[in-house]
Amino acid sequence: MSAIKGRSARPPVEGRKLVPLQARVEEAAYSKAQRAADAAGISLSVYVQTLIDSDETDANGCPIWRVPRDHGQEELPLKTA
């Protein structure tokens, strides 16, 4: 896909490997993200990368806005086939 006129290009970084990221979100969330990227003059990819980079995490890598999963919790005794 070609660049959109007026948007700044992602600066090249030696050794950086870019991989695809895909997610399904509500249409309103997509529109909000696209408007924010457009207003900032950046691509949606750069916008999402910036959100990920600015997401603070705890020592285990869990975002601080999310209650960590309790790995010590007992599993339910489910019958398997």
Side-chain angles (χ1 to χ4, degrees), residues 4-6 8 10 12 14 18 23-24 28-29 33 35 40 43 48-49 56 58-60 62 64 69 71 73-74:
I4 296 176
K5 188 176 181 179
S8 56
R10 183 188 300 255
E14 189 174 326
L18 299 179
R24 298 272 179 202
R35 280 192 314 273
S43 69
V48 171
Q49 179 74 49
E56 293 184 48
D58 66 15
N60 295 318
C62 182
I64 61 171
R69 184 172 36 181
H71 292 287
Q73 185 177 15
E74 289 185 39

Side-chain angles (χ1 to χ4, degrees), residues 10 16 45-57:
R10 183 188 300 255
R16 180 180 65 188
S45 294
V46 173
Y47 179 73
V48 171
Q49 179 74 49
T50 303
L51 289 176
I52 293 168
D53 290 344
S54 63
D55 199 8
E56 293 184 48
T57 58

Side-chain angles (χ1 to χ4, degrees), residues 12 22 25 29 41 45 49 58 70 76-77:
Q22 185 176 23
V25 297
S45 294
Q49 179 74 49
D58 66 15
D70 184 3
L76 293 174

Side-chain angles (χ1 to χ4, degrees), residues 26-48:
E26 293 178 3
E27 188 174 2
Y30 173 81
S31 296
K32 181 179 180 181
Q34 190 63 64
R35 280 192 314 273
D38 289 344
I42 57 177
S43 69
L44 187 56
S45 294
V46 173
Y47 179 73
V48 171

